[in-house]
Amino acid sequence: MTGATAAALYERVRRVIPPVEWPTFVEDIEAILALKRERNAIILAHNYQTPEIFHCVADIVGDSLALARKAVTAEAQIIVLAGVYFMAETAKLLNPNKTVLIPDLGAGCSLADSITAQDVRLMRQRYPEIPVVTYVNTSAAVKAESDICCTSGNAKAVVESLGVPRVIMLPDEYLAKNVSAETNVGIIAWKGHCEVHERFTPADIRELRAAHPGVVVLAHPECPPDVVIEADFSGSTAAMSDYVEREKPPRVVLMTECSMSDNVAVAHPDVEFVRPCNLCPHMKSITLANIRSALEENRHEVRIDPRIAGPARRAVERMLSI
Ligand code: 13P
Ligand code: SF4
């Protein structure tokens, strides 16, 4: 990487990475950019990845829905998923003949951990004939037991696409309740929660409004319903980013994971971001160092039992066809 390229990259992130920190990233960024070319690899990064990953080495960025959609058309032979394990599994389901790498096998998700395939089978026994809509934040084994997947960006459309009076929606209780408030379809929920978003409260929002007059509050639909009601807008990480782009609020707060504000702030120097965020430890376990090792050592390769992959892929593809 030439000095000019490094300077151009730093220019992108200088509002969110202090000059003193930048030199610690440069060597890994340079190595990753070279490895991507040598190995015909691309990096898909979720909106919660840190700015040095999101803005300096990623090829495709977005919310879970965008990453799933773009994984389908990925041209490279190797996909490195800078995000959590269920996202890497989704990329593998959609690219069975490509190598999909997750830089840290410990990058889990409290929602994915809240439910097993056996739990879904028991729900089906309890509510026969009711279709199962599964949030993508689940294992491939759970997806395989489902009729269709959804993300926070399309949950209402997916639920309504089935043309039935009631659905089972797993595993995020709050997403299910937030969707239920927007549709006439009855929703049977599970008790899973996101450990990051469940910590926000309506009192947080009231305090923020008092401390930062005029602040516009955007909340992810994994937040509890009383938080979403108190907010000015609720949507997926991509929908929040689009809202800032479209409305350009002078002052905004994103009730979501910490890196999201950094990544959106880079493109909006005129917007003031108030930042009472919560950190997702799973997302933060992905670093430039382990992305580099993933590409150098071809690890950790995502493999899915073919008996699970077939039905899980059908549930994801059915969602993508909507
Ligand atoms: P999005 O699909 O909105 O990006 O959300 C994914 C996620 O894990 C949120 O916690
Ligand atoms: Fe899972 Fe919550 Fe982390 Fe998203 S933010 S990956 S839902 S634990």
Side-chain angles (χ1 to χ4, degrees), residues 80-95:
V80 179
L81 202 304
V84 291
Y85 194 76
F86 75 79
M87 295 176 178
E89 272 193 333
T90 305
K92 180 66 183 176
L93 289 172
L94 297 170
N95 290 277

Side-chain angles (χ1 to χ4, degrees), residues 65-127:
L65 183 59
L67 294 184
R69 282 199 193 287
K70 290 174 184 167
V72 185
T73 50
E75 299 234 321
Q77 188 43 42
I78 297 175
I79 297 173
V80 179
L81 202 304
V84 291
Y85 194 76
F86 75 79
M87 295 176 178
E89 272 193 333
T90 305
K92 180 66 183 176
L93 289 172
L94 297 170
N95 290 277
N97 299 321
K98 292 186 179 165
T99 302
V100 176
L101 304 175
I102 178 96
D104 183 345
L105 276 177
C109 169
S110 66
L111 280 168
D113 289 345
S114 73
I115 190 159
T116 65
Q118 175 63 3
D119 292 329
V120 186
R121 289 192 285 270
L122 289 173
M123 285 296 271
R124 280 201 189 274
Q125 276 174 22
R126 192 159 162 206
Y127 301 101

